[in-house]
Amino acid sequence: MEVLDYKYIAKLVIRAQTGDSDAFAELYAATYQREYLFSYRYLKDEYLAQDALQETYTLALKNLTKLKDPKLVISWLNQINFRVCYKLHQKQQRYNQEMKAAEEILENDLENSGGGYIGNAEDSIVKIDMQEYVINQILKLPFTESQVILLKYYKDMKIDEIAMLMDMSRSSVKRYLKSGRERLAKVLQQE
């Protein structure tokens, strides 16, 4: 992956904020490979990654004038991309869980011919609700901590992969993991 020229990219942002569509196209060309790589590694699906990339740049274009410091555009794009990927992943996961629960209910219904399957469905729903609660608590953590925790524990990424995707050192990833887990533990213990 090529190294980005942050000063040049900041100049493109300034031009794009004034309505220069060519500058935004050039900004896209300079950054899309990195953003696509993140989306693909997060979602592990080529088509979902393309959808995420499209939504990321659509949101970026709509909100570009709100970006106060053009030098931070890469971090800003990363945050948008992460949120988009997270939402797409959640939708996909909910769909998969609902389908699995429906299949289990049908299988139990066929096996038991009408009785005893409701408890399993309720258990599945309680488990799904608990997972959603924990994920919502993770999302309330500071952004970098939540991103690192989700990538490590929900996407099963290695520390080296996270460090590369987030453009930080391994020790920073470990530090964010540790502080994020500590904060999360305090929140969950209070509940």
Side-chain angles (χ1 to χ4, degrees):
M1 191 177 322
E2 64 186 59
V3 177
L4 297 175
D5 181 354
Y6 291 96
K7 288 181 183 180
Y8 178 69
I9 289 175
K11 288 178 184 176
L12 289 175
V13 170
I14 292 167
R15 287 180 32 214
Q17 286 176 326
T18 62
D20 185 343
S21 60
D22 290 337
F24 188 80
E26 204 170 330
L27 176 66
Y28 171 82
T31 59
Y32 84 94
Q33 286 180 327
R34 180 180 288 238
E35 296 302 323
Y36 175 78
L37 180 63
F38 177 86
S39 298
Y40 181 74
R41 286 199 175 157
Y42 189 98
L43 297 167
K44 295 180 176 39
D45 181 287
E46 178 183 340
Y47 300 109
L48 279 177
Q50 290 171 359
D51 289 346
L53 197 64
Q54 181 177 357
E55 189 170 340
T56 296
Y57 281 97
T58 300
L59 288 169
L61 181 60
K62 285 181 184 176
N63 297 296
L64 193 61
T65 57
K66 295 177 185 175
L67 181 64
K68 291 183 172 91
D69 187 352
K71 291 180 275 186
L72 299 177
V73 70
I74 300 300
S75 296
W76 183 67
L77 280 172
N78 290 344
Q79 287 182 12
I80 294 171
N81 195 3
F82 175 76
R83 299 270 186 219
V84 167
C85 287
Y86 176 78
K87 287 177 184 173
L88 285 173
H89 177 71
Q90 286 300 102
K91 283 181 187 176
Q92 188 67 35
Q93 215 173 9
R94 264 194 303 276
Y95 172 78
N96 291 343
Q97 287 171 340
E98 289 169 3
M99 292 304 291
K100 185 176 179 183
E103 287 173 9
E104 288 174 2
I105 289 170
L106 287 173
E107 285 176 17
N108 286 332
D109 191 25
L110 291 173
E111 289 174 9
N112 298 326
S113 63
Y117 64 88
I118 294 174
N120 290 335
E122 288 174 356
D123 291 344
S124 295
I125 291 169
V126 168
K127 188 175 180 180
I128 290 168
D129 285 344
M130 185 59 182
Q131 288 173 342
E132 284 186 24
Y133 172 76
V134 170
I135 288 173
N136 285 331
Q137 295 307 311
I138 291 170
L139 288 174
K140 290 179 183 176
L141 296 173
F143 178 76
T144 306
E145 290 178 1
S146 69
Q147 192 174 17
V148 167
I149 287 173
L150 289 170
L151 291 173
K152 173 74 174 150
Y153 297 107
Y154 287 86
K155 298 308 294 174
D156 297 322
M157 293 179 79
K158 294 181 172 106
I159 290 179
D160 290 331
E161 292 175 316
I162 297 169
M164 186 185 84
L165 280 175
M166 295 186 65
D167 200 22
M168 65 174 66
S169 67
R170 286 177 44 104
S171 61
S172 293
V173 172
K174 289 178 183 179
R175 188 174 63 251
Y176 285 120
L177 277 172
K178 183 177 187 249
S179 62
R181 285 191 306 242
E182 288 170 356
R183 284 183 215 259
L184 185 60
K186 285 180 187 174
V187 169
L188 295 178
Q189 287 173 355
Q190 291 174 356
E191 296 299 317

